[in-house]
Amino acid sequence: MTAFDLTPYLHMDEHLLIVTEHPTMLTRIMHLSALLQPQVGIISEDFPLLSNLDVLENIALASMYRKNVSLKKARRIMEPEIRALKLEKLLHKRRELLTREELVRVLVARCLAAGNSIILLESPPVFRLDTVFACLGAVAHRVRIWVSCHHPDKLAYGGYPLREIHIRE
């Protein structure tokens, strides 16, 4: 297994804390994970909602593209998740009008709509990770969380059910 090979972890049924000694590795982990689509969805400022689309369009875009369905059908498919994540009143808003917590819920919904079985967060603030865990507890999907972080920051995630693995350069 190379230092960048995350594929052995794709089928593990655990949440992971991916720790690296070198901060530059975080970007590499993020880019490698982006190549693991559709299994890995990413919640990061590097993968924002599209500003010219509303919440519903942002959530449905991957499903519309991959399944070749209309926006109306994509919404119908995602209706249970939209309700579970309490997004009904946000569907026609733009990202600029969302609170931080609402934005995280929308990003989780986007990952679910894309069929991701893993959500990766790079060094997330605790509120963001709390929100992601709460969202996943509210939906019927079994989605794993991967958190990548620089070694000195790993203590921030000690209270979470994350199996620690180390990636070396």
Side-chain angles (χ1 to χ4, degrees):
M1 176 170 70
T2 69
F4 305 112
D5 189 7
L6 295 174
T7 54
Y9 302 104
L10 289 175
H11 303 290
M12 293 177 67
D13 194 29
E14 298 177 273
H15 302 301
L16 297 179
L17 178 62
I18 304 168
V19 180
T20 179
E21 296 291 330
H22 304 283
T24 57
M25 286 291 294
L26 294 174
T27 302
R28 292 180 189 169
I29 292 168
M30 186 72 64
H31 289 279
L32 175 64
S33 297
L35 298 174
L36 298 173
Q37 286 287 335
Q39 287 179 286
V40 179
I42 298 172
I43 294 181
S44 165
E45 284 77 20
D46 293 335
F47 297 89
L49 295 178
L50 299 175
S51 60
N52 60 331
L53 301 180
D54 65 22
V55 166
L56 176 59
E57 292 164 332
N58 267 289
I59 291 171
L61 188 61
S63 182
M64 291 169 59
Y65 176 74
R66 288 198 180 113
K67 298 175 184 172
N68 194 27
V69 297
S70 68
L71 179 63
K72 186 176 181 179
K73 183 165 184 176
R75 178 182 176 160
R76 214 173 25 249
I77 293 168
M78 281 300 295
E79 194 62 39
E81 291 81 5
I82 289 169
R83 279 196 305 275
L85 297 176
K86 299 177 177 38
L87 299 176
E88 302 95 334
K89 294 180 181 178
L90 305 178
L91 294 178
H92 299 292
K93 285 188 174 184
R94 302 278 180 163
R95 75 171 186 204
E96 297 80 16
L97 300 175
L98 301 175
T99 66
R100 292 184 321 165
E101 186 264 339
E102 290 170 341
L103 179 61
V104 174
R105 287 189 285 136
V106 170
L107 291 169
V108 169
R110 180 176 71 176
C111 290
L112 296 174
N116 302 134
S117 58
I118 298 165
I119 296 176
L120 173 69
L121 300 102
E122 179 184 324
S123 301
V126 170
F127 90 88
R128 185 175 299 152
L129 189 54
D130 286 342
T131 304
V132 171
F133 270 107
C135 287
L136 296 181
V139 297
H141 301 273
R142 174 66 179 128
V143 177
R144 289 156 292 143
I145 297 171
W146 287 2
V147 173
S148 64
C149 73
H150 183 220
H151 188 272
D153 301 328
K154 76 176 192 170
L155 294 177
Y157 309 111
Y160 295 94
L162 301 166
R163 177 179 170 213
E164 189 174 318
I165 62 167
H166 290 263
I167 301 292
R168 306 210 191 290
E169 194 164 18

